[in-house]
Amino acid sequence: AQTVTQSQPEMSVQEAETVTLSCTYDTSESDYYLFWYKQPPSRQMILVIRQEAYKQQNATENRFSVNFQKAAKSFSLKISDSQLGDAAMYFCAYRSADSWGKLQFGAGTQVVVTP
Amino acid sequence: DVKVTQSSRYLVKRTGEKVFLECVQDMDHENMFWYRQDPGLGLRLIYFSYDVKMKEKGDIPEGYSVSREKKERFSLILESASTNQTSMYLCASRGAGSSYNSPLHFGNGTRLTVT
């Protein structure tokens, strides 16, 4: 079974600064997908960014980018120019290519943004 | 936009009660999921369904059952609620196929308290 580890329970960042959230995973598969989800206090899970394992290029969505290191099984999320609205719980998730869409989640990292 | 609706935002039940958590999606998705979210543990998959009347156990099915009589509705059942089932429950849905362009869509969660 795959496991996803987020070792940072909480990260604090000042507005306009950059914060990086770490995520590692354990798998023996070669084809899979990785995701970062954001959960604000409203509880709505919002997809932030996704990466296909066979793509070398790191995914980017506006101020959000990932550093995908397949050999190291690492998938970190960088939030640039942090805004107050970025404050939320962030979950890293793994999905096998053929798994009916089942996601395996990490424990989450709470991001606190200070003015 | 895909809408996944969970019938209750907050629910308080007594130990031993039979509890139904309802989830409805409006996008004709084949796959539906029930996750449980606990602090420090992230989201854990309870059950999922890939078609009407079809179900598969997730990682933590003990104490739960599910029902999918119609494509749009996926119910989570706690046959005899216990205090260790106090948690946040999240429903999600996804269209068929393994493409990562078909992400999970989540409901807003039901916070269940069993006293």
Side-chain angles (χ1 to χ4, degrees):
Chain A
Q2 295 80 21
T3 56
V4 179
T5 302
Q6 293 179 251
S7 57
Q8 307 151 317
E10 185 174 300
M11 294 288 282
S12 187
V13 61
Q14 280 195 309
E15 263 188 300
E17 297 297 310
T18 295
V19 65
T20 299
L21 312 184
S22 67
C23 173
T24 58
Y25 57 94
D26 183 27
T27 186
S28 58
E29 298 172 335
S30 59
D31 194 14
Y32 51 86
Y33 309 117
L34 296 164
F35 304 83
W36 278 98
Y37 277 86
K38 167 185 176 180
Q39 187 183 45
S42 68
R43 300 190 211 159
Q44 181 64 56
M45 292 283 278
I46 301 164
L47 178 64
V48 175
I49 200 165
R50 51 193 162 184
Q51 174 87 38
E52 294 173 84
Y54 62 84
K55 283 191 176 175
Q56 300 274 14
Q57 188 172 5
N58 289 325
T60 299
E61 289 286 343
N62 301 313
R63 296 180 296 106
F64 298 87
S65 62
V66 298
N67 183 4
F68 173 50
Q69 303 286 331
K70 191 172 184 179
K73 297 178 184 173
S74 170
F75 183 59
S76 61
L77 175 70
K78 184 169 82 171
I79 308 174
S80 304
D81 186 25
S82 296
Q83 301 174 0
L84 293 176
D86 295 332
M89 182 70 86
Y90 286 79
F91 292 99
C92 177
Y94 171 103
R95 195 185 100 204
S96 297
D98 59 352
S99 67
W100 302 106
K102 291 186 296 179
L103 291 182
Q104 198 79 23
F105 286 86
T109 297
Q110 182 70 49
V111 171
V112 176
V113 182
T114 55
Chain B
D1 246 7
V2 176
K3 192 160 174 126
V4 179
T5 304
Q6 293 183 231
S7 55
S8 304
R9 192 159 174 83
Y10 297 95
L11 212 50
V12 180
K13 296 291 181 180
R14 292 199 180 276
T15 301
E17 275 193 82
K18 189 168 186 176
V19 182
F20 292 85
L21 302 184
E22 307 286 347
C23 175
V24 177
Q25 49 94 3
D26 66 357
M27 281 301 289
D28 203 37
H29 282 168
E30 286 76 12
N31 303 316
M32 295 188 74
F33 307 82
W34 275 107
Y35 282 90
R36 170 178 171 157
Q37 181 180 356
D38 298 288
L41 296 177
L43 282 73
R44 293 176 292 166
L45 182 64
I46 305 171
Y47 266 98
F48 69 100
S49 168
Y50 52 90
D51 203 349
V52 174
K53 296 192 188 294
M54 307 304 287
K55 61 184 179 186
E56 292 283 341
K57 292 180 180 178
D59 299 319
I60 52 163
E62 297 78 20
Y64 304 94
S65 63
V66 290
S67 172
R68 190 151 180 218
E69 296 297 317
K70 292 185 178 181
K71 193 174 186 180
E72 68 271 18
R73 185 179 297 269
F74 191 36
S75 303
L76 180 69
I77 305 157
L78 286 66
E79 294 290 341
S80 178
S82 64
T83 55
N84 63 13
Q85 292 178 310
T86 291
S87 186
M88 171 84 81
Y89 291 88
L90 288 164
C91 175
S93 73
R94 178 179 176 269
S98 64
S99 168
Y100 93 136
N101 286 320
S102 181
L104 277 188
H105 298 268
F106 285 86
N108 277 4
T110 296
R111 191 174 293 282
L112 172 67
T113 302
V114 182
T115 62

